[in-house]
């Protein structure tokens, strides 16, 4: 079982009490443990399964379905660039190429200094400001290479 801090365990226990069945807390428990560990690997899935009395495969299905859960270590800042239809029509592919060159990483990769992880995702639900990316959950739209430079510069 992977170690969980007493503080995180306290949050998990309080959360579980709010649901009629333990398993209903799964998504939120995964958020808590991701904050704790930074990502959820197989051992993490097994730990969550044990806490919620679930089969590990059930936890794995959820972790691998949602892009918001990280399955391996990531950088300090996570950049998620939308490459769905509207964003693609508005130039997302060239922005992804720009980011790959700028950060010297491939999709899914983390910069050598551990600052940024670059991911591509499906529609972020902000098509009206395409092309769009999220950095640490914050939305940035109408992107251009210059705007990306400014955004990333502010994160240093
Ligand atoms: S297509 Fe990119 S936010 Fe919807």
């Amino acid at each position: 079982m992977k170690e969980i801090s007493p503080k995180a365990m306290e949050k998990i226990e309080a959360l579980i009490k709010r649901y009629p069945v333990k398993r209903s807390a799964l998504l939120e428990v995964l958020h808590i443990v991701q904050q704790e560990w930074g990502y959820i690997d197989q051992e993490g899935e097994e730990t969550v399964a044990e806490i919620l009395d679930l089969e590990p495969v059930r936890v794995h299905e959820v972790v691998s379905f949602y892009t918001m859960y990280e399955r391996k270590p990531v950088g300090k800042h996570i950049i998620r660039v939308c490459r769905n239809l509207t964003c693609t029509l508005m130039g997302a592919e060239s922005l992804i190429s720009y980011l790959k060159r700028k950060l010297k990483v491939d999709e899914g990769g983390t910069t050598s200094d551990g600052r940024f992880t670059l991911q591509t995702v499906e529609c972020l639900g902000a098509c009206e400001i395409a092309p769009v990316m999220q950095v640490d959950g914050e939305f940035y739209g109408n992107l251009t290479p210059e705007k990306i430079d400014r955004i990333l510069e502010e994160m240093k």
Side-chain angles (χ1 to χ4, degrees):
M1 188 156 160
K2 205 163 175 168
E3 197 177 323
I4 300 179
S5 70
K7 195 175 168 199
M9 203 57 217
E10 211 173 280
K11 274 191 205 169
I12 291 171
E13 280 163 6
L15 188 63
I16 288 171
K17 281 186 194 144
R18 299 204 329 239
Y19 291 95
V21 286
K22 272 183 170 186
R23 76 175 62 162
S24 303
L26 178 57
L27 294 180
E28 289 181 76
V29 169
L30 288 171
H31 279 298
I32 294 170
V33 297
Q34 180 160 278
Q35 276 171 3
E36 175 92 350
W37 301 321
Y39 60 99
I40 305 163
D41 59 5
Q42 190 187 331
E43 197 187 354
E45 290 172 0
E46 288 167 5
T47 301
V48 170
E50 200 174 317
I51 292 168
L52 296 177
D53 297 329
L54 287 168
E55 288 295 316
V57 69
R58 297 286 162 243
V59 179
H60 178 72
E61 285 168 353
V62 171
V63 171
S64 53
F65 179 78
Y66 292 105
T67 54
M68 62 198 174
Y69 299 121
E70 304 300 334
R71 301 174 68 199
K72 58 182 187 183
V74 288
K76 185 173 178 211
H77 303 288
I78 302 176
I79 303 168
R80 294 190 170 103
V81 186
C82 172
R83 68 158 17 136
N84 217 304
L85 185 61
T86 308
C87 285
T88 297
L89 290 172
M90 297 301 284
E93 288 305 321
S94 67
L95 294 175
I96 293 166
S97 299
Y98 177 74
L99 275 161
K100 282 159 73 171
R101 282 195 310 276
K102 180 180 173 69
L103 301 173
K104 298 182 180 66
V105 291
D106 228 326
E107 287 169 38
T110 299
T111 54
S112 55
D113 61 3
R115 293 190 63 78
F116 296 103
T117 294
L118 176 63
Q119 299 176 342
T120 56
V121 293
E122 295 303 317
C123 182
L124 286 166
C127 316
E128 70 281 4
I129 53 167
V132 179
M133 72 176 183
Q134 259 186 344
V135 184
D136 302 335
E138 198 75 26
F139 280 85
Y140 299 92
N142 303 309
L143 291 173
T144 61
E146 296 73 31
K147 194 166 178 182
I148 287 174
D149 286 347
R150 282 198 304 274
I151 293 163
L152 300 190
E153 191 57 40
E154 282 167 15
M155 312 227 150
K156 287 193 172 171

